[in-house]
Amino acid sequence: MRTPSTLAGGQSLLPLMKLRFAAPTVLIDLGRVTELSYVRDEGTYVAIGALTRHHDVATSELLLTDIPLLAHTAEAVGDPQIRHRGTIGGSVAHADAAADLPATLLALDATFVVRGESGTRLVPAAEFFKGIFENRHLSPASC
């Protein structure tokens, strides 16, 4: 069976591949799936697409006004190259305990929308993360 990995910004996967900690046999590039890159006011909540780049989170007028902690956190992620390529969804899925955005989303009591073959589920951030570099909800079997 092939071990697939997905790539959008690649800010987490590429270093793991360089260190030989990850060796996917299939690489799926999500970079051009523009439907998953957005920041929207949905009335009672703000929705952010998984492929929204850190730079777009940091510069969003909506986030600067309604959730400034998230915008300011995204502004401090990495360097300009990382902010222009890395995505909020990638940061969350990577589940790095030292990463700023997952910790901020936990503090903000965010809810993640997880979609898969079995449908869509809403998962509170507090229930999403399993451990360092692990989450409970993104394996193919759980979707």
Side-chain angles (χ1 to χ4, degrees):
M1 183 171 150
R2 292 181 165 188
T3 305
S5 287
T6 57
L7 177 70
Q11 302 308 307
S12 301
L13 181 59
L14 292 178
L16 291 175
M17 290 172 67
K18 284 182 182 179
L19 294 169
R20 307 245 193 281
F21 291 144
T25 56
V26 176
L27 192 60
I28 302 166
D29 183 359
L30 300 175
R32 289 182 267 174
V33 183
T34 57
E35 297 83 18
L36 295 177
S37 179
Y38 56 83
V39 177
R40 296 192 297 243
D41 183 347
E42 297 290 345
T44 59
Y45 63 94
V46 174
I48 304 170
L51 295 184
T52 306
R53 308 239 183 248
H54 303 313
H55 171 78
D56 297 328
V57 172
T59 59
S60 164
E61 289 298 323
L62 176 61
L63 293 176
L64 285 166
T65 301
D66 289 6
I67 313 174
L69 176 62
L70 185 57
H72 293 300
T73 300
E75 183 179 35
V77 169
D79 56 31
Q81 291 85 359
I82 288 174
R83 287 191 296 276
H84 280 86
R85 290 291 305 157
T87 62
I88 192 166
S91 182
V92 168
H94 189 56
D96 184 349
D100 295 331
L101 287 172
T104 300
L105 293 166
L106 274 167
L108 291 170
D109 199 24
T111 298
F112 304 132
V113 177
V114 179
R115 291 189 180 109
E117 291 178 0
S118 300
T120 300
R121 294 175 287 125
L122 300 178
V123 181
E127 295 175 17
F128 184 83
F129 301 103
K130 181 177 180 181
I132 297 173
F133 303 116
E134 293 182 291
N135 63 67
R136 298 181 195 279
H137 297 279
L138 291 182
S139 70
S142 70
C143 292

